[in-house]
Amino acid sequence: MKTENTHSADHAPSLSNRFLTGYILLLISVIMYVFTEYVGTENFHSSFSMFVAHYIIALGYLLYLVYHKEFGIVKSFRKGNIDQTIVLTNLFLISAYSLNKDLIVFEDSVDWLCVYLIISSIVLLSLRFFSSQPRWVRRLQAFFLGSAMVLYLYMAMYVMNFMPMGAIGIIAMGMGGHIFVPLILLVCSVMIILFRFDKGELVWLGAGSISVILIAIAFVIEWEKRIATIERFANQSVLNPKTKLPIWLRVGQTIPNDWITQRILKSDLVYSTRKDRWDSWGFMPRTVSWDEARKHDPLVLLASFRSNISLNREERVNILRVLSDSRHRSNERLWTGKDLSIPYIVSDIDVYPHLRLAYTEKYFNIRNSGPNRWNGNTQEAIFTFQLPEGSVVTSLSLWIEGKEEKAILTTKQKATKAYQQIVGVERRDPSVVHWQEGNTVTVRVFPCTILEERKFKVGITSPLIIENEKAIYRNITFQGPSASNAQEVIRFRFMEGDENVVIPNGFEKDEEGFYRRESAYDPDFTLEASTRPIPQNNQFVFQKHAYKIEEYTPLFQPKGIKKLYLDLNNSWTKEEVRELLQLANQREIFVYRHDSFVQITEENQSLAYELMKRNYSLFPFHLIKDAEHSLVITKGRTISPHLSDFKRSEFAEAMEKYFSENRKCLVYNVGVETSAYVRSLRELRAFEFLHGSIRELETLLNENKFVSTQEDNNQIVIHDAKIVIRKQPLHDTTLISNAPDHLARLFAYNNVLRKVGKNYFNDDFINQELVDEASTAYVVSPVSSLIVLESAKDYERFDIKDNDNSLKNASKQSDGAVPEPHEWALIIIALLVVLYFKFYHTRSS
């Protein structure tokens, strides 16, 4: 080893041609790797071709060193050659990670591991200049070299079981040698220590290694602690038999929702563990239950040797669904979609500010950037669209062989059966859109290959949101293939003029009255217009009925509210709870804890604050005995359980029985955002609902009143748009349509939801009356779906028939329906009158 005074005598090493060549090749290889990581490999035929490029660069430098007699099993690790060997090994490290994309040894590295690996390589490369650096720099280099050695040791141990196979693989043009790269890096690190470090620097080297080891130990201890907590919650659930909810729902309520919990839940699903360690090369297929790329996190792998969660995969997926905004990832897949992206989006929007609604057509191009494989790398695209309250999908198209094919509306069961048969077995062209809870829909498109970009269109009829005297249109957002690099063309027009409208920056108006802009995809795009009075003369005439929109004025009725129930979770603040406890006056306040209601008094207020730690809440509305004189005060976040998550539980059965007796709970939501659970029940008309501030609630309580919504087969209310849509028998046969058919579609969709309402928890809630109403209006609903198949024979085979007496797919030209018989009569009479006067005028002249 070197002594301290030796350092001061050394000079900075010169940059020889061999080092300069190595650094240039290393820089080229790094740039190529980074470029393909962010741009993709579709322009390079395949990821394997990129590996070949990296491998040729590494081999080229190896041959260069051989030519200069500076490479050999022993010679490479001599003092004069060790730095060149480090450069060479880093070239092979890049080549190894490039090969890893096709022949997987390490799953995709997590972000912190990527940074750790880059820092380790930089430090190892910088040690060529170690002797010429100031003392504090040398100590810093020693510290990070110590941490790097722990990483190299881990990686070498990780690939140890592959080394015999790698030794055999060296015969195949040396490619098997990649498996020895971590071991060689570790040996190089040891040789550097022997050649250049003194006793003082060894202390810093040890500090770097120990720091990494202590971090790993701390993580493992916390991992075991979290798992013990989860196991305790799961095992003690038997002490609360009245819960009647799945165990995983109770666990999801109470566990800390952070990155460590996410890793515990995703172990085996996403993160490599000791259980699947022996399948690192992917010879055994895995069930796709969570659509997220497999990842390699050394901390998770090490912790899995100590303890593993006992909850099964399905239970863990369910918890992940309710604790994150990644519910979309748990959609059942028939094919992967990992290489799909969205390069181009077109949003074509008609806004009717006077009617407080809009119709949006969104066109998507789907690109498959994966490698070229024997099956064309066939993949399935799945989208989840988040819709505004009361919105409905009213059209779907798929382009097949360059031609637009429109969807046919059928029952959800028939659409599901046809799609699964064609995609899962026959592997031909379908697309389908299904209704989901919480104002969402899913769209599936198959097949998506590298040979062409698939294109589909979805049409959505949406009420505008009224806030602060403004009618607001918000972009329809989605989860699915990445749109991070997508370009979007937005075109919109206002159907009754653009007065008092806020036009966003970048839009230009064309001769046809459309505003147009092309830019990067903007999910937060909004339009605002001043609220206008709804014209009295607006109607859409269809099948001997007139549909009309009117301003909705909430009707308040006296309510002697005696009991307040707080639905507490971590979305509440202590100040909000404190305010509610103060305004209670003579009313009793209850919270739900351990399967029973507990009254809050001055002595046990801490109980309320304890319940605020829960990630979400599922308030048991069915346990309220006096719904007429009770008010549930709720608050929540969008990320929470859906009704379908516990549809087959005893809790759901009790809810169904309760609401089937035509009971309606009174619910007040603090703020605007509601949980998916509450929002779904509201959508199904399970209770009377208001939202606002605590001060507004105080006014309602002081005045002893609450809203009463009047809905039936002749009128439905869309609260966020503050409109009511009425359906009336057509008595005046001369009445014609002067409003778009979206009125009838919105009415039918919301009326179907109202009728489903109390029966949603029953599997047999679907009946012919609901199907007929949805089919006639051509709306996607809990009972109906839109599907595109490849040929007419496919529709016949699955008994999917179009309804000729329906509104069909919505379009931007759908400002009215096919004329009614009496309208045809008026049109014919008008034509006869025109022809008469024309003929009479000709004879007279």
Side-chain angles (χ1 to χ4, degrees), residues 561-606:
I561 296 175
K562 299 177 182 178
K563 296 181 179 180
L564 302 179
Y565 293 87
L566 302 187
D567 182 23
L568 298 176
N569 51 61
N570 63 10
S571 65
W572 290 83
T573 65
K574 287 186 177 181
E575 182 61 30
E576 289 170 337
V577 174
R578 196 176 296 116
E579 284 187 62
L580 286 174
L581 294 177
Q582 290 174 351
L583 67 82
N585 296 328
Q586 298 179 350
R587 298 178 178 88
E588 298 174 329
I589 297 184
F590 295 87
V591 296
Y592 188 70
R593 179 176 181 266
H594 294 334
D595 306 321
S596 63
F597 288 119
V598 179
Q599 184 175 353
I600 298 297
T601 63
E602 292 184 2
E603 290 74 23
N604 66 351
Q605 288 187 9
S606 60

Short mmCIF file of all heavy atoms in Angstrom, two decimals, residues 561-606:
data_model
loop_
_atom_site.label_atom_id
_atom_site.label_comp_id
_atom_site.label_asym_id
_atom_site.label_seq_id
_atom_site.Cartn_x
_atom_site.Cartn_y
_atom_site.Cartn_z
N ILE A 561 -82.94 17.11 12.16
CA ILE A 561 -81.77 16.26 12.31
C ILE A 561 -81.35 16.21 13.78
O ILE A 561 -81.03 17.24 14.38
CB ILE A 561 -80.63 16.77 11.42
CG1 ILE A 561 -81.02 16.67 9.95
CG2 ILE A 561 -79.35 15.97 11.68
CD1 ILE A 561 -80.02 17.26 8.99
N LYS A 562 -81.32 15.00 14.33
CA LYS A 562 -81.00 14.82 15.75
C LYS A 562 -79.62 14.19 15.97
O LYS A 562 -79.00 14.41 17.01
CB LYS A 562 -82.06 13.93 16.40
CG LYS A 562 -83.47 14.51 16.34
CD LYS A 562 -84.48 13.53 16.93
CE LYS A 562 -85.90 14.10 16.84
NZ LYS A 562 -86.91 13.14 17.37
N LYS A 563 -79.16 13.42 14.98
CA LYS A 563 -77.89 12.71 15.15
C LYS A 563 -76.96 13.02 13.97
O LYS A 563 -77.39 13.02 12.81
CB LYS A 563 -78.10 11.21 15.25
CG LYS A 563 -78.90 10.78 16.49
CD LYS A 563 -79.06 9.28 16.54
CE LYS A 563 -79.84 8.85 17.78
NZ LYS A 563 -80.00 7.38 17.86
N LEU A 564 -75.69 13.26 14.28
CA LEU A 564 -74.66 13.48 13.27
C LEU A 564 -73.67 12.31 13.31
O LEU A 564 -73.20 11.92 14.39
CB LEU A 564 -73.91 14.78 13.52
CG LEU A 564 -74.74 16.07 13.56
CD1 LEU A 564 -73.84 17.27 13.84
CD2 LEU A 564 -75.50 16.28 12.26
N TYR A 565 -73.36 11.76 12.14
CA TYR A 565 -72.41 10.65 12.04
C TYR A 565 -71.20 11.15 11.23
O TYR A 565 -71.34 11.57 10.08
CB TYR A 565 -73.03 9.45 11.34
CG TYR A 565 -74.14 8.80 12.13
CD1 TYR A 565 -75.46 9.27 12.03
CD2 TYR A 565 -73.90 7.73 12.99
CE1 TYR A 565 -76.49 8.68 12.76
CE2 TYR A 565 -74.91 7.13 13.72
CZ TYR A 565 -76.21 7.61 13.59
OH TYR A 565 -77.22 7.02 14.32
N LEU A 566 -70.03 11.10 11.85
CA LEU A 566 -68.81 11.54 11.18
C LEU A 566 -68.12 10.36 10.51
O LEU A 566 -67.80 9.36 11.17
CB LEU A 566 -67.85 12.19 12.19
CG LEU A 566 -68.38 13.39 12.98
CD1 LEU A 566 -67.24 14.01 13.79
CD2 LEU A 566 -69.02 14.41 12.08
N ASP A 567 -67.91 10.50 9.23
CA ASP A 567 -67.23 9.47 8.44
C ASP A 567 -65.76 9.87 8.33
O ASP A 567 -65.36 10.56 7.40
CB ASP A 567 -67.89 9.38 7.06
CG ASP A 567 -67.29 8.30 6.19
OD1 ASP A 567 -66.70 7.35 6.75
OD2 ASP A 567 -67.39 8.41 4.95
N LEU A 568 -64.95 9.44 9.27
CA LEU A 568 -63.59 9.96 9.44
C LEU A 568 -62.53 9.10 8.75
O LEU A 568 -62.60 7.87 8.76
CB LEU A 568 -63.25 10.08 10.93
CG LEU A 568 -64.13 11.04 11.74
CD1 LEU A 568 -63.75 10.99 13.21
CD2 LEU A 568 -64.02 12.46 11.20
N ASN A 569 -61.55 9.79 8.18
CA ASN A 569 -60.37 9.16 7.57
C ASN A 569 -59.28 10.21 7.47
O ASN A 569 -59.46 11.34 7.96
CB ASN A 569 -60.72 8.56 6.20
CG ASN A 569 -61.43 9.57 5.32
OD1 ASN A 569 -60.89 10.61 4.99
ND2 ASN A 569 -62.68 9.28 4.97
N ASN A 570 -58.18 9.89 6.83
CA ASN A 570 -57.04 10.82 6.84
C ASN A 570 -57.18 12.00 5.89
O ASN A 570 -56.23 12.79 5.74
CB ASN A 570 -55.72 10.07 6.59
CG ASN A 570 -55.68 9.42 5.21
OD1 ASN A 570 -56.53 9.66 4.35
ND2 ASN A 570 -54.68 8.58 4.99
N SER A 571 -58.32 12.16 5.23
CA SER A 571 -58.54 13.37 4.42
C SER A 571 -59.02 14.54 5.28
O SER A 571 -59.01 15.69 4.84
CB SER A 571 -59.57 13.09 3.32
OG SER A 571 -60.84 12.81 3.87
N TRP A 572 -59.44 14.25 6.50
CA TRP A 572 -59.89 15.29 7.42
C TRP A 572 -58.70 15.98 8.08
O TRP A 572 -57.64 15.39 8.25
CB TRP A 572 -60.77 14.70 8.53
CG TRP A 572 -62.12 14.22 8.08
CD1 TRP A 572 -62.42 13.02 7.51
CD2 TRP A 572 -63.36 14.92 8.21
NE1 TRP A 572 -63.77 12.92 7.26
CE2 TRP A 572 -64.37 14.08 7.69
CE3 TRP A 572 -63.71 16.16 8.73
CZ2 TRP A 572 -65.71 14.45 7.67
CZ3 TRP A 572 -65.05 16.54 8.70
CH2 TRP A 572 -66.03 15.69 8.17
N THR A 573 -58.92 17.23 8.50
CA THR A 573 -57.96 17.94 9.33
C THR A 573 -58.52 18.05 10.74
O THR A 573 -59.73 17.99 10.95
CB THR A 573 -57.67 19.35 8.79
OG1 THR A 573 -58.86 20.15 8.89
CG2 THR A 573 -57.21 19.29 7.33
N LYS A 574 -57.63 18.20 11.70
CA LYS A 574 -58.07 18.34 13.09
C LYS A 574 -58.95 19.57 13.28
O LYS A 574 -59.90 19.55 14.07
CB LYS A 574 -56.85 18.41 14.02
CG LYS A 574 -56.12 17.09 14.18
CD LYS A 574 -55.02 17.19 15.22
CE LYS A 574 -54.35 15.83 15.43
NZ LYS A 574 -53.27 15.90 16.46
N GLU A 575 -58.65 20.63 12.55
CA GLU A 575 -59.44 21.86 12.66
C GLU A 575 -60.87 21.62 12.20
O GLU A 575 -61.83 22.10 12.81
CB GLU A 575 -58.78 22.97 11.84
CG GLU A 575 -59.48 24.31 11.91
CD GLU A 575 -59.52 24.88 13.32
OE1 GLU A 575 -58.59 24.59 14.10
OE2 GLU A 575 -60.49 25.59 13.64
N GLU A 576 -61.04 20.84 11.12
CA GLU A 576 -62.39 20.55 10.62
C GLU A 576 -63.18 19.73 11.64
O GLU A 576 -64.36 20.02 11.91
CB GLU A 576 -62.30 19.80 9.29
CG GLU A 576 -61.83 20.66 8.14
CD GLU A 576 -61.51 19.85 6.90
OE1 GLU A 576 -61.22 18.64 7.02
OE2 GLU A 576 -61.54 20.42 5.79
N VAL A 577 -62.55 18.72 12.22
CA VAL A 577 -63.24 17.89 13.22
C VAL A 577 -63.58 18.74 14.44
O VAL A 577 -64.67 18.63 15.01
CB VAL A 577 -62.36 16.69 13.60
CG1 VAL A 577 -63.00 15.92 14.75
CG2 VAL A 577 -62.15 15.78 12.40
N ARG A 578 -62.66 19.61 14.84
CA ARG A 578 -62.90 20.46 16.00
C ARG A 578 -64.10 21.39 15.76
O ARG A 578 -64.95 21.59 16.64
CB ARG A 578 -61.64 21.28 16.29
CG ARG A 578 -61.63 21.92 17.68
CD ARG A 578 -60.32 22.64 17.94
NE ARG A 578 -59.20 21.70 17.96
CZ ARG A 578 -58.20 21.71 17.08
NH1 ARG A 578 -58.19 22.61 16.12
NH2 ARG A 578 -57.23 20.82 17.16
N GLU A 579 -64.21 21.95 14.55
CA GLU A 579 -65.34 22.81 14.21
C GLU A 579 -66.66 22.06 14.29
O GLU A 579 -67.66 22.57 14.79
CB GLU A 579 -65.15 23.40 12.81
CG GLU A 579 -64.15 24.53 12.73
CD GLU A 579 -64.14 25.16 11.35
OE1 GLU A 579 -65.19 25.70 10.94
OE2 GLU A 579 -63.11 25.08 10.66
N LEU A 580 -66.65 20.83 13.76
CA LEU A 580 -67.89 20.04 13.76
C LEU A 580 -68.32 19.70 15.19
O LEU A 580 -69.51 19.72 15.51
CB LEU A 580 -67.70 18.76 12.95
CG LEU A 580 -67.68 18.95 11.44
CD1 LEU A 580 -67.33 17.64 10.74
CD2 LEU A 580 -69.04 19.44 10.94
N LEU A 581 -67.37 19.37 16.02
CA LEU A 581 -67.71 19.05 17.41
C LEU A 581 -68.29 20.26 18.13
O LEU A 581 -69.14 20.12 19.01
CB LEU A 581 -66.47 18.53 18.14
CG LEU A 581 -65.90 17.19 17.64
CD1 LEU A 581 -64.62 16.83 18.40
CD2 LEU A 581 -66.92 16.08 17.77
N GLN A 582 -67.85 21.46 17.74
CA GLN A 582 -68.32 22.67 18.38
C GLN A 582 -69.71 23.07 17.92
O GLN A 582 -70.49 23.62 18.70
CB GLN A 582 -67.34 23.82 18.13
CG GLN A 582 -66.01 23.66 18.85
CD GLN A 582 -65.01 24.73 18.47
OE1 GLN A 582 -65.24 25.51 17.53
NE2 GLN A 582 -63.87 24.76 19.17
N LEU A 583 -70.06 22.81 16.65
CA LEU A 583 -71.36 23.26 16.15
C LEU A 583 -72.48 22.24 16.39
O LEU A 583 -73.62 22.46 15.99
CB LEU A 583 -71.27 23.60 14.66
CG LEU A 583 -71.02 22.49 13.63
CD1 LEU A 583 -72.28 21.74 13.26
CD2 LEU A 583 -70.39 23.08 12.37
N ALA A 584 -72.14 21.15 17.03
CA ALA A 584 -73.15 20.10 17.24
C ALA A 584 -74.32 20.58 18.08
O ALA A 584 -75.45 20.12 17.91
CB ALA A 584 -72.49 18.89 17.90
N ASN A 585 -74.06 21.51 18.99
CA ASN A 585 -75.10 22.01 19.89
C ASN A 585 -75.74 20.86 20.67
O ASN A 585 -75.08 20.13 21.38
CB ASN A 585 -76.14 22.81 19.11
CG ASN A 585 -75.52 24.07 18.50
OD1 ASN A 585 -74.60 24.66 19.07
ND2 ASN A 585 -76.02 24.48 17.34
N GLN A 586 -77.03 20.68 20.51
CA GLN A 586 -77.74 19.66 21.28
C GLN A 586 -77.85 18.33 20.54
O GLN A 586 -78.57 17.45 20.97
CB GLN A 586 -79.13 20.18 21.66
CG GLN A 586 -79.09 21.43 22.54
CD GLN A 586 -80.47 21.93 22.87
OE1 GLN A 586 -81.47 21.47 22.29
NE2 GLN A 586 -80.56 22.87 23.79
N ARG A 587 -77.18 18.20 19.43
CA ARG A 587 -77.25 16.96 18.67
C ARG A 587 -76.17 15.98 19.13
O ARG A 587 -75.09 16.37 19.55
CB ARG A 587 -77.09 17.25 17.17
CG ARG A 587 -78.20 18.14 16.60
CD ARG A 587 -77.95 18.41 15.13
NE ARG A 587 -79.02 19.20 14.55
CZ ARG A 587 -79.03 20.55 14.56
NH1 ARG A 587 -78.03 21.20 15.12
NH2 ARG A 587 -80.03 21.20 14.03
N GLU A 588 -76.47 14.72 18.98
CA GLU A 588 -75.50 13.68 19.33
C GLU A 588 -74.59 13.42 18.13
O GLU A 588 -75.04 13.43 16.98
CB GLU A 588 -76.23 12.38 19.71
CG GLU A 588 -77.13 12.52 20.92
CD GLU A 588 -77.93 11.26 21.18
OE1 GLU A 588 -78.27 10.57 20.19
OE2 GLU A 588 -78.21 10.96 22.35
N ILE A 589 -73.31 13.19 18.41
CA ILE A 589 -72.32 12.92 17.37
C ILE A 589 -71.76 11.52 17.57
O ILE A 589 -71.36 11.15 18.68
CB ILE A 589 -71.19 13.96 17.39
CG1 ILE A 589 -71.74 15.36 17.10
CG2 ILE A 589 -70.11 13.60 16.37
CD1 ILE A 589 -70.67 16.42 17.01
N PHE A 590 -71.73 10.76 16.46
CA PHE A 590 -71.27 9.37 16.52
C PHE A 590 -70.17 9.14 15.49
O PHE A 590 -70.12 9.80 14.44
CB PHE A 590 -72.42 8.40 16.24
CG PHE A 590 -73.50 8.41 17.27
CD1 PHE A 590 -74.56 9.31 17.18
CD2 PHE A 590 -73.48 7.53 18.35
CE1 PHE A 590 -75.57 9.32 18.13
CE2 PHE A 590 -74.48 7.54 19.30
CZ PHE A 590 -75.53 8.44 19.20
N VAL A 591 -69.29 8.21 15.80
CA VAL A 591 -68.32 7.69 14.84
C VAL A 591 -68.44 6.17 14.84
O VAL A 591 -68.97 5.58 15.78
CB VAL A 591 -66.87 8.12 15.20
CG1 VAL A 591 -66.71 9.62 15.12
CG2 VAL A 591 -66.48 7.59 16.57
N TYR A 592 -67.92 5.56 13.76
CA TYR A 592 -68.00 4.10 13.64
C TYR A 592 -66.63 3.51 13.93
O TYR A 592 -65.64 3.82 13.26
CB TYR A 592 -68.45 3.71 12.24
CG TYR A 592 -68.74 2.24 12.09
CD1 TYR A 592 -69.84 1.66 12.70
CD2 TYR A 592 -67.90 1.43 11.31
CE1 TYR A 592 -70.11 0.31 12.56
CE2 TYR A 592 -68.16 0.08 11.16
CZ TYR A 592 -69.27 -0.48 11.78
OH TYR A 592 -69.52 -1.82 11.65
N ARG A 593 -66.59 2.64 14.95
CA ARG A 593 -65.31 2.04 15.36
C ARG A 593 -65.56 0.63 15.87
O ARG A 593 -66.45 0.40 16.68
CB ARG A 593 -64.67 2.89 16.45
CG ARG A 593 -63.34 2.36 16.98
CD ARG A 593 -62.75 3.33 17.98
NE ARG A 593 -61.47 2.88 18.51
CZ ARG A 593 -61.34 2.20 19.64
NH1 ARG A 593 -62.42 1.89 20.36
NH2 ARG A 593 -60.14 1.83 20.07
N HIS A 594 -64.74 -0.29 15.39
CA HIS A 594 -64.83 -1.69 15.83
C HIS A 594 -66.26 -2.22 15.72
O HIS A 594 -66.81 -2.78 16.67
CB HIS A 594 -64.32 -1.83 17.26
CG HIS A 594 -62.86 -1.56 17.42
ND1 HIS A 594 -61.95 -1.73 16.40
CD2 HIS A 594 -62.14 -1.11 18.50
CE1 HIS A 594 -60.75 -1.41 16.82
NE2 HIS A 594 -60.83 -1.03 18.09
N ASP A 595 -66.86 -1.99 14.57
CA ASP A 595 -68.15 -2.59 14.23
C ASP A 595 -69.32 -2.06 15.04
O ASP A 595 -70.35 -2.74 15.17
CB ASP A 595 -68.09 -4.12 14.38
CG ASP A 595 -66.94 -4.71 13.59
OD1 ASP A 595 -66.71 -4.23 12.47
OD2 ASP A 595 -66.28 -5.62 14.10
N SER A 596 -69.21 -0.87 15.57
CA SER A 596 -70.34 -0.28 16.29
C SER A 596 -70.18 1.24 16.32
O SER A 596 -69.07 1.76 16.15
CB SER A 596 -70.44 -0.83 17.71
OG SER A 596 -69.28 -0.48 18.45
N PHE A 597 -71.29 1.93 16.53
CA PHE A 597 -71.26 3.38 16.64
C PHE A 597 -70.92 3.77 18.08
O PHE A 597 -71.45 3.21 19.04
CB PHE A 597 -72.61 3.98 16.25
CG PHE A 597 -72.89 3.92 14.78
CD1 PHE A 597 -73.97 3.21 14.29
CD2 PHE A 597 -72.06 4.57 13.88
CE1 PHE A 597 -74.23 3.15 12.93
CE2 PHE A 597 -72.31 4.51 12.52
CZ PHE A 597 -73.39 3.80 12.05
N VAL A 598 -70.05 4.75 18.20
CA VAL A 598 -69.64 5.26 19.51
C VAL A 598 -69.95 6.74 19.56
O VAL A 598 -69.57 7.50 18.65
CB VAL A 598 -68.13 5.03 19.75
CG1 VAL A 598 -67.72 5.60 21.11
CG2 VAL A 598 -67.78 3.56 19.66
N GLN A 599 -70.64 7.17 20.58
CA GLN A 599 -70.96 8.58 20.72
C GLN A 599 -69.73 9.35 21.22
O GLN A 599 -69.04 8.91 22.14
CB GLN A 599 -72.12 8.79 21.70
CG GLN A 599 -72.56 10.25 21.80
CD GLN A 599 -73.79 10.41 22.67
OE1 GLN A 599 -74.39 9.43 23.10
NE2 GLN A 599 -74.17 11.66 22.93
N ILE A 600 -69.47 10.50 20.59
CA ILE A 600 -68.34 11.33 20.95
C ILE A 600 -68.77 12.34 22.01
O ILE A 600 -69.75 13.07 21.84
CB ILE A 600 -67.76 12.06 19.73
CG1 ILE A 600 -67.24 11.04 18.70
CG2 ILE A 600 -66.64 13.00 20.14
CD1 ILE A 600 -66.11 10.18 19.21
N THR A 601 -68.03 12.35 23.09
CA THR A 601 -68.27 13.31 24.17
C THR A 601 -66.96 14.06 24.45
O THR A 601 -65.94 13.80 23.81
CB THR A 601 -68.73 12.58 25.45
OG1 THR A 601 -67.67 11.70 25.89
CG2 THR A 601 -69.99 11.76 25.18
N GLU A 602 -67.02 14.97 25.40
CA GLU A 602 -65.81 15.72 25.74
C GLU A 602 -64.73 14.80 26.29
O GLU A 602 -63.54 15.07 26.14
CB GLU A 602 -66.14 16.80 26.77
CG GLU A 602 -67.02 17.91 26.23
CD GLU A 602 -67.25 19.01 27.27
OE1 GLU A 602 -66.68 18.89 28.37
OE2 GLU A 602 -67.97 19.97 26.96
N GLU A 603 -65.13 13.68 26.89
CA GLU A 603 -64.17 12.78 27.50
C GLU A 603 -63.44 11.90 26.49
O GLU A 603 -62.31 11.46 26.74
CB GLU A 603 -64.86 11.88 28.55
CG GLU A 603 -65.32 12.61 29.81
CD GLU A 603 -66.55 13.45 29.56
OE1 GLU A 603 -67.30 13.13 28.58
OE2 GLU A 603 -66.79 14.42 30.30
N ASN A 604 -64.05 11.61 25.35
CA ASN A 604 -63.43 10.66 24.41
C ASN A 604 -63.20 11.27 23.03
O ASN A 604 -63.22 10.56 22.02
CB ASN A 604 -64.27 9.39 24.30
CG ASN A 604 -65.63 9.65 23.65
OD1 ASN A 604 -66.01 10.80 23.44
ND2 ASN A 604 -66.34 8.58 23.33
N GLN A 605 -63.00 12.59 22.95
CA GLN A 605 -62.77 13.23 21.65
C GLN A 605 -61.51 12.71 20.97
O GLN A 605 -61.40 12.76 19.74
CB GLN A 605 -62.69 14.74 21.82
CG GLN A 605 -64.02 15.41 22.12
CD GLN A 605 -63.92 16.93 22.12
OE1 GLN A 605 -62.91 17.49 21.72
NE2 GLN A 605 -64.99 17.58 22.54
N SER A 606 -60.57 12.20 21.75
CA SER A 606 -59.34 11.67 21.16
C SER A 606 -59.63 10.49 20.23
O SER A 606 -58.86 10.20 19.32
CB SER A 606 -58.37 11.23 22.26
OG SER A 606 -58.96 10.22 23.08
#
